[in-house]
Amino acid sequence: MSFLDLFLIALGLSMDAFAVSICKGLSVQRMQPRHALACGVWFGAFQALMPLLGYLLGAGFAGLIGRFSHWVAFALLAFIGVNMLRESFGGEEEAPDPDFSPKAMLPLALATSIDALAAGVSFAAMQVQILPAVGLIGVTTCVFSAIGVKVGNLFGVRFKALAERAGGAVLVLMGLKILLEGLGVL
């Protein structure tokens, strides 16, 4: 898997955290650097941790599914991407919460990184070098989450659904690319 492929996956996975960060930015009257830092660190750390856990879980059975790794990667990435697309069209909006304490950030970081666990399983199936991959995912998410707080504070939730749609589309397309490469079409 190329660096560009990994970056696009990292970008797609970071969009949930970006969308939540937009809402967190909307919740504060006067944004401070600590708000952006809190979102960046919490979301970036969990987006790095979850694919590592998924990789470790998936490494045990990666040998069994080696021939079908492109199908596994496609199915998992497509599932994550379609779910993100579906959620972006849902109308349910919650009131933004200005709380950046660990009690508030931990559940958000966990919720936005569950899809990265499945991506880690697909990394195991494709035998991706996991440490550079999780580093890239963590850094990408950290940066986009910090930016999301500022975007939310400036513009409100206008970009939330767009970010989720873009992330979902990227993940579906990356899954399709992996499948087509595995089948020898590309």
Side-chain angles (χ1 to χ4, degrees), residues 126-144:
M126 295 182 304
Q127 299 179 346
V128 170
Q129 290 185 359
I130 193 62
L131 293 181
V134 299
L136 183 60
I137 291 168
V139 167
T140 301
T141 302
C142 180
V143 169
F144 273 89

Side-chain angles (χ1 to χ4, degrees), residues 17-32 35-36 39 43 92-100 105 108 145-161:
F18 178 69
V20 172
S21 295
I22 289 173
C23 291
K24 294 301 277 182
L26 178 66
S27 73
V28 293
Q29 291 293 324
R30 187 163 174 230
M31 195 204 109
Q32 297 176 5
H35 296 127
C39 282
F43 295 143
E92 72 258 10
E93 290 293 328
E94 296 179 17
D97 182 6
D99 187 2
F100 286 82
M105 294 303 294
L108 292 174
S145 296
I147 291 169
V149 174
K150 184 66 175 172
V151 168
N153 191 253
L154 288 175
F155 301 108
V157 295
R158 279 182 248 159
F159 297 109
K160 180 180 184 281

